[in-house]
Amino acid sequence: MNEIDDTQAPLLDHLIELRRRLLWSLAALVVAFAGCLYFARPILGFLVAPLKAAGQVTIINTAVTGGFIVELKVAFFAALMIAFPVIANQLWQFVAPGLYRKEKRALLPFLLATPVLFIAGACMAYFIAIPVALKFLLGFQGELAGGVQQQALPEVNEYLKFVMQFIFGFGLSFLLPVLLMLLEHAGIVTYEQLKGAWRYAVVGAFALSAVLTPPDVGSQLLLAVPLVGLYFLALIAIWFTRRRRERAVESEPAS
């Protein structure tokens, strides 16, 4: 109990500490936003590269202020990605004093795995899922009945919404193992419950992919299959961590 007693503080001190962490997080976001706003056009070029690779070399803007708003959206989107590790670190520093030493050691791997898994999901969305989806969706243009030509003219705001939905959707979905392991570690769910619910998890993965991706089978499979794999990977990790905890408990009386 000394570990917690040494860090006890009045409510006002906790609120002051929370404000300090929020200010540091906001400062990181503002600094990242300022830098990303300066490089907004190169970042936008990076985001529209899959569209160009799919054969679409024109993107339109239908509002007078559209160009300015688009650069703000791009800068804020990139700033969130860049400032995410700082925000996560500030959250950890606010929560950590209230944890036991064992709890800190147990939660630290989850903190380290979160940005890695998010970036992995975002990269899969950008390099694999978005090109597949664009190839399918842009394949509907061409000559229609009666000799009428149908040409795709993507609007920049709609395209950005499309890309951000993919990147954030895949990034957050790849955090599934961290979420399941945290729930199991907190005692909210058990390994047996997760193992018994694998059929519902598969159905849920396909339902989630249907919501987060365009209505084509290829894009949905690109998200659903990794989600199912991550669910079973989380089960394996939970099994190993539970076995390690049980061995540690068994060795305590002997020590």
Side-chain angles (χ1 to χ4, degrees):
M1 292 296 296
N2 290 334
E3 298 176 25
I4 297 296
D5 293 336
D6 292 340
T7 59
Q8 284 183 344
L11 176 61
L12 182 60
D13 290 347
H14 288 301
L15 293 176
I16 293 174
E17 178 68 11
L18 177 61
R19 184 186 65 176
R20 188 163 71 93
R21 298 303 174 189
L22 290 175
L23 287 176
W24 275 108
S25 300
L26 181 62
L29 185 61
V30 169
V31 172
F33 176 78
C36 293
L37 187 61
Y38 182 79
F39 295 101
R41 291 205 171 187
I43 297 173
L44 179 59
F46 176 77
L47 293 176
V48 300
L51 188 65
K52 182 179 179 181
Q56 187 70 34
V57 295
T58 302
I59 190 167
I60 65 172
N61 201 334
T62 58
V64 175
T65 59
F68 175 69
I69 298 300
V70 164
E71 292 197 5
L72 288 180
K73 286 183 178 180
V74 169
F76 185 72
F77 172 72
L80 279 177
M81 302 286 287
I82 295 174
F84 176 76
V86 178
I87 296 174
N89 180 262
Q90 292 301 313
L91 177 62
W92 168 254
Q93 290 189 34
F94 176 73
V95 174
L99 301 176
Y100 293 105
R101 188 175 293 108
K102 288 184 178 180
E103 293 173 333
K104 292 179 183 180
R105 289 199 299 264
L107 292 178
L108 186 58
F110 299 123
L111 179 68
L112 297 177
T114 297
V116 175
L117 289 173
F118 184 87
I119 293 173
C123 289
M124 182 175 180
Y126 180 83
F127 292 106
I128 300 177
I130 292 176
V132 171
L134 289 175
K135 184 178 180 181
F136 171 79
L137 295 173
L138 295 177
F140 289 95
Q141 60 183 330
E143 186 174 349
L144 304 176
V148 178
Q149 291 289 330
Q150 179 176 263
Q151 183 180 4
L153 291 175
E155 203 275 329
V156 62
N157 281 290
E158 290 298 321
Y159 176 76
L160 284 179
K161 180 181 177 181
F162 171 82
V163 171
M164 291 177 187
Q165 180 181 355
F166 257 94
I167 292 177
F168 273 117
F170 272 70
L172 294 176
S173 298
F174 270 55
L175 298 181
L176 178 64
V178 175
L179 175 62
L180 293 179
M181 294 184 72
L182 283 174
L183 291 176
E184 191 274 338
H185 186 79
I188 299 175
V189 296
T190 63
Y191 170 77
E192 288 74 17
Q193 290 174 333
L194 293 174
K195 183 180 178 181
W198 71 269
R199 296 177 181 84
Y200 302 102
V202 172
V203 175
F206 278 89
L208 181 62
S209 65
V211 174
L212 296 178
T213 60
D216 64 284
V217 178
S219 299
Q220 293 175 6
L221 288 176
L222 284 173
L223 179 57
V225 173
L227 275 178
V228 174
L230 288 170
Y231 185 86
F232 287 104
L233 180 63
L235 288 181
I236 296 173
I238 289 172
W239 184 84
F240 276 107
T241 54
R242 191 177 71 166
R243 289 286 297 170
R244 187 172 61 182
R245 289 200 304 266
E246 291 174 352
R247 290 173 182 171
V249 171
E250 292 174 356
S251 63
E252 282 182 359
S255 60

